């Protein structure tokens, strides 16, 4: 609860960054993904700018184990490159290519009053819920199998 | 041969926006101790655990609230969504499933993961880029929609 305000501010700056860069506009994202058409390289430069700053941020984070306020920094621990990672990411890319929306820009576009973005995000959350249910049933059946039932 | 569209390419704005995104991710990392991976921030709310909800909701509210803050100073930039409703529903479902299955999206793997030099995130980013390139190629140049 304590740092919800900084989290809100971070989301705000992230969203403004997406608006400044033009990435909240699916037309521009698709212009990047369309290598065979007239190509708009903007998205690559957004990545360059974000990673350029992010490298410094994560370098600082790597040298300390706690935040500026002393709570733990939680970084992802998974390192394996497996089927799940690659297939999941390719799947995400297919959906990204269909509409030109990934999660962040779609949320920003909702704030800009775009009904289509809302439809996308509701469907996306439904997709996440479907995956969650599938995961749980897989886990349950694995446990059942282990118990030998 | 790739031909650059110099009429739509906006290098300055792209870099500046990218820097803001990097700053936002750094802020969340050094103050909240969290990685700014948007699909994860949203998706984990579907199985919430105590004390782990408020910062997620706040971050998402910030994203959605960005245009409201923007219009205080300037007119909103153009947002053009060509996809129709059936395509948006399909795309949304696929993005939802894919980002959870692959544990991340453009922000978590693409920006944060590469920033922390994670080989795993680099592979994920190359994978979703490949998926995106191929899909747009199919839709625009093979099917011709």
């Amino acid at each position: 609860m304590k740092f919800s305000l900084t989290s809100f501010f971070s989301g705000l700056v992230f969203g403004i960054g997406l608006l400044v860069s033009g990435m909240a506009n699916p037309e521009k994202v698709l212009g990047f993904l369309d290598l065979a058409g007239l190509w708009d390289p903007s998205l690559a430069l957004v990545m360059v700018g974000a990673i350029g700053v992010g490298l410094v941020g994560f370098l600082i984070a790597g040298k300390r184990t706690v935040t500026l306020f002393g709570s733990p920094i939680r970084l992802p621990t998974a390192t394996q490159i497996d089927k799940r990672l690659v297939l999941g990411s390719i799947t995400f890319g297919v959906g990204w290519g269909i509409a030109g929306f990934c999660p962040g820009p779609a949320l920003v576009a909702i704030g800009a009053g775009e009904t289509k973005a809302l439809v996308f995000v509701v469907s996306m959350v439904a997709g996440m819920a479907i995956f969650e249910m599938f995961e749980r049933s897989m886990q349950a059946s694995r446990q059942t199998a282990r118990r030998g039932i | 041969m790739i031909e650059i569209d110099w009429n739509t390419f906006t290098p300055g704005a792209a870099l500046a926006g990218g820097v803001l995104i990097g700053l936002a991710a750094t802020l969340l990392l050094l103050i909240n101790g969290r990685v700014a991976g948007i699909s994860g921030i949203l998706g984990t709310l579907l199985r919430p655990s105590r004390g782990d909800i408020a910062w997620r909701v706040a971050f998402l509210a910030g994203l959605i609230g960005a245009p409201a803050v923007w219009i205080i100073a300037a007119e909103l930039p153009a947002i053009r969504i060509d996809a129709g409703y059936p395509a948006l529903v399909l795309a949304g479902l696929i993005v939802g499933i894919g980002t959870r299955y692959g544990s991340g999206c453009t922000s978590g793997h693409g920006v944060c993961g590469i920033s922390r030099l994670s080989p795993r995130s680099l592979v994920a980013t190359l994978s979703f880029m490949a998926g995106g390139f191929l899909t747009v190629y199919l839709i625009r140049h093979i099917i011709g929609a």
Side-chain angles (χ1 to χ4, degrees), chain B residues 5-6 8-9 19-20 32 35 37 41 48 55 64 71 84-85 93 95-96 98 111-112 134 136 140 142:
Chain B
D5 186 351
W6 295 102
T8 56
F9 184 31
V19 165
L20 283 175
N32 289 81
V35 172
I41 292 176
W55 77 273
I64 297 172
I71 53 170
Y85 284 100
L93 284 170
V95 168
V111 174
C112 295
L134 273 171
V136 172
R140 290 199 174 173
I142 304 291

Side-chain angles (χ1 to χ4, degrees), chain A residues 28-36 39-40 43 93 96-98 100, chain B residues 128-134 136-137 140:
Chain A
K28 204 160 168 62
V29 173
L30 292 175
F32 170 79
L33 291 177
D34 188 8
L35 289 174
W39 190 50
D40 178 357
L43 191 145
W96 191 32
I98 292 175
Chain B
F128 67 68
M129 289 276 177
F133 288 138
L134 273 171
V136 172
Y137 184 74
R140 290 199 174 173

Side-chain angles (χ1 to χ4, degrees), chain B residues 32-46:
Chain B
N32 289 81
R34 293 296 188 150
V35 172
I38 295 167
S39 58
I41 292 176
L42 178 60
T44 307
L45 283 174
L46 294 176

Side-chain angles (χ1 to χ4, degrees), chain A:
Chain A
M1 225 22 228
K2 228 179 0 178
F3 294 113
S4 291
L5 201 63
T6 57
S7 179
F8 175 78
F9 186 70
S10 170
L12 201 60
V13 175
F14 202 112
I16 290 172
L18 287 171
L19 285 168
V20 169
S21 63
M23 294 302 116
N25 182 8
E27 187 189 26
K28 204 160 168 62
V29 173
L30 292 175
F32 170 79
L33 291 177
D34 188 8
L35 289 174
L38 273 176
W39 190 50
D40 178 357
S42 301
L43 191 145
L45 283 189
V46 179
M47 299 282 288
V48 167
I51 293 167
V53 176
L55 276 169
V56 180
F58 279 92
L59 193 70
I60 297 170
K63 292 200 170 159
R64 40 190 308 148
T65 51
V66 293
T67 65
L68 302 178
F69 296 94
S71 45
I73 292 177
R74 293 189 221 187
L75 295 174
T77 48
T79 52
Q80 74 279 18
I81 293 164
D82 52 13
K83 195 178 80 178
R84 211 183 144 100
L85 178 81
V86 175
L87 282 183
S89 298
I90 292 174
T91 305
F92 158 48
V94 170
W96 191 32
I98 292 175
F101 266 141
C102 54
L107 288 163
V108 174
I110 287 180
E114 298 288 340
T115 313
K116 283 183 162 182
L118 184 63
V119 170
F120 174 86
V121 170
V122 169
S123 309
M124 180 175 82
V125 173
M128 289 175 168
I130 289 169
F131 177 74
E132 194 72 38
M133 275 163 18
F134 182 74
E135 275 275 280
R136 277 183 202 180
S137 71
M138 286 297 279
Q139 271 166 11
S141 66
R142 268 199 297 271
Q143 274 162 10
T144 312
R146 216 172 293 138
R147 271 190 246 114
I149 300 168

Side-chain angles (χ1 to χ4, degrees), chain B residues 35-139:
Chain B
V35 172
I38 295 167
S39 58
I41 292 176
L42 178 60
T44 307
L45 283 174
L46 294 176
R47 46 158 193 221
S49 46
R50 268 176 68 95
D52 189 46
I53 298 169
W55 77 273
R56 295 177 187 275
V57 174
F59 184 88
L60 299 171
L63 272 177
I64 297 172
V69 172
W70 179 284
I71 53 170
I72 296 170
E75 203 179 317
L76 276 179
I79 295 179
R80 197 176 132 182
I81 308 163
D82 283 335
Y85 284 100
L88 285 163
V89 171
L90 181 69
L93 284 170
I94 295 176
V95 168
I97 294 169
T99 51
R100 296 307 283 156
Y101 191 39
S103 312
C105 60
T106 344
S107 50
H109 281 312
V111 174
C112 295
I114 294 181
S115 290
R116 65 185 185 91
L117 306 174
S118 154
R120 185 174 141 84
S121 286
L122 181 65
V123 169
T125 304
L126 293 174
S127 304
F128 67 68
M129 289 276 177
F133 288 138
L134 273 171
T135 304
V136 172
Y137 184 74
L138 274 174
I139 292 176

